[in-house]
Amino acid sequence: MKIYNVKSSLIEKALIAFMFVIALIEVIAELSSFEPILFAFKPLIALLILILYLITSKVRNTLFILASVFLFIVSVLLIPNSSYFSLAALAGYIIHRSLLITYIIKINKVKDFIPVVIAIIPTLFIFSYLLSIADEINTSSFYGIVIQNIVISIMAGLVISNYFMNDNNDSPWLYIYGLLFTALYFTVFIEKCFLSTFPPTFFRPLGMVLYVSSYYAFYRFVIDTENIHKDRVQ
């Protein structure tokens, strides 16, 4: 058993190192605008997160596995430059986020949603205001951004309310994830809505760093939570 745990730990560390190497390659590709590498490597991040979880977790929660699968599907759907695939990716994105939100509600046993609603309002107000003053949004993208604003605000509201209302803050990774992912969406939002005519040499590399870091943080949150619950049961 001890040999198995050591082997599993080594595999986990190797996969984490490989994931961040891919992230570094993606950042370099973003800086040089080398699209073939961008398209080929980005879906690997979601795949590695899934493999990491399956190797490390002894629980193997269905919600997290499905969320990782949909993240991989969204990454693949974004490769073709097609409005049809973009619409399908948006649908997959909403499902992916909904699964993560459901997981957070379930794992933190959220029963009082009033603090969640209160925490949603500031984020939703900020993104709604920014969207209202944006002058680079076409009609076909507007409603998709509205939906994403709502989903992101719900996620942020859950994380914020959990921080203030949950006395058992055993793992800080959820709050790290919430901070990183909100920063990621804000970066993408500003680029798409206000700086779409500017070269993407700054925001997209930053977005890639935040993308990988945020999903790694959520993976760590899931593993820590499962280990904490296991220790409490024992």
Side-chain angles (χ1 to χ4, degrees):
M1 181 63 71
K2 186 176 181 181
I3 295 175
Y4 175 80
N5 289 336
V6 171
K7 183 178 179 181
S8 177
S9 177
L10 289 173
I11 294 173
E12 179 188 12
K13 290 177 181 178
L15 286 173
I16 291 171
F18 183 51
M19 182 174 67
F20 280 98
V21 167
I22 290 176
L24 179 60
I25 293 172
E26 285 280 295
V27 168
I28 295 172
E30 289 282 12
L31 289 170
S32 59
S33 300
F34 192 62
E35 293 188 354
I37 288 182
L38 292 174
F39 294 149
F41 278 73
K42 192 168 184 178
L44 287 178
I45 302 298
L47 188 60
L48 285 171
I49 289 290
L50 177 58
I51 294 172
L52 263 173
Y53 179 71
L54 292 175
I55 290 174
T56 310
S57 173
K58 294 179 175 62
V59 178
R60 296 184 178 178
N61 186 280
T62 304
L63 284 173
F64 184 75
I65 292 173
L66 286 174
S68 300
V69 170
F70 272 99
L71 180 61
F72 175 75
I73 292 172
V74 169
S75 300
V76 173
L77 289 174
L78 288 174
I79 293 176
N81 187 16
S82 165
S83 57
Y84 174 78
F85 282 101
S86 297
L87 184 61
L90 175 61
Y93 172 87
I94 293 170
I95 295 172
H96 164 71
R97 287 288 153 213
S98 300
L99 289 168
L100 291 187
I101 289 169
T102 304
Y103 178 85
I104 294 173
I105 292 173
K106 183 178 178 181
I107 206 71
N108 288 322
K109 299 178 181 178
V110 179
K111 296 179 180 178
D112 185 3
F113 286 91
I114 294 178
V116 178
V117 173
I118 294 173
I120 288 171
I121 293 174
T123 307
L124 186 60
F125 174 81
I126 291 170
F127 283 123
S128 297
Y129 172 74
L130 290 174
L131 182 60
S132 69
I133 63 174
D135 55 1
E136 299 181 13
I137 301 296
N138 54 49
T139 306
S140 60
S141 301
F142 179 81
Y143 295 105
I145 294 174
V146 169
I147 294 172
Q148 292 184 66
N149 286 352
I150 293 171
V151 173
I152 296 300
S153 299
I154 293 173
M155 178 70 77
L158 273 172
V159 173
I160 294 169
S161 63
N162 185 71
Y163 179 80
F164 287 103
M165 301 300 294
N166 190 352
D167 295 328
N168 298 317
N169 295 321
D170 299 299
S171 175
W173 285 107
L174 177 61
Y175 315 118
I176 295 172
Y177 164 76
L179 178 64
L180 289 172
F181 187 77
T182 303
L184 168 63
Y185 183 71
F186 184 78
T187 300
V188 174
F189 184 88
I190 293 297
E191 181 198 356
K192 297 292 185 185
C193 297
F194 295 95
L195 302 174
S196 60
T197 57
F198 285 76
T201 53
F202 175 74
F203 281 98
R204 290 188 182 177
L206 175 61
M208 177 54 62
V209 173
L210 292 171
Y211 174 80
V212 176
S213 301
S214 63
Y215 279 105
Y216 174 74
F218 196 86
Y219 156 76
R220 290 299 315 169
F221 160 68
V222 172
I223 294 298
D224 282 2
T225 303
E226 290 178 356
N227 290 335
I228 290 166
H229 285 188
K230 180 182 176 183
D231 291 340
R232 285 175 180 170
V233 170
Q234 292 176 346

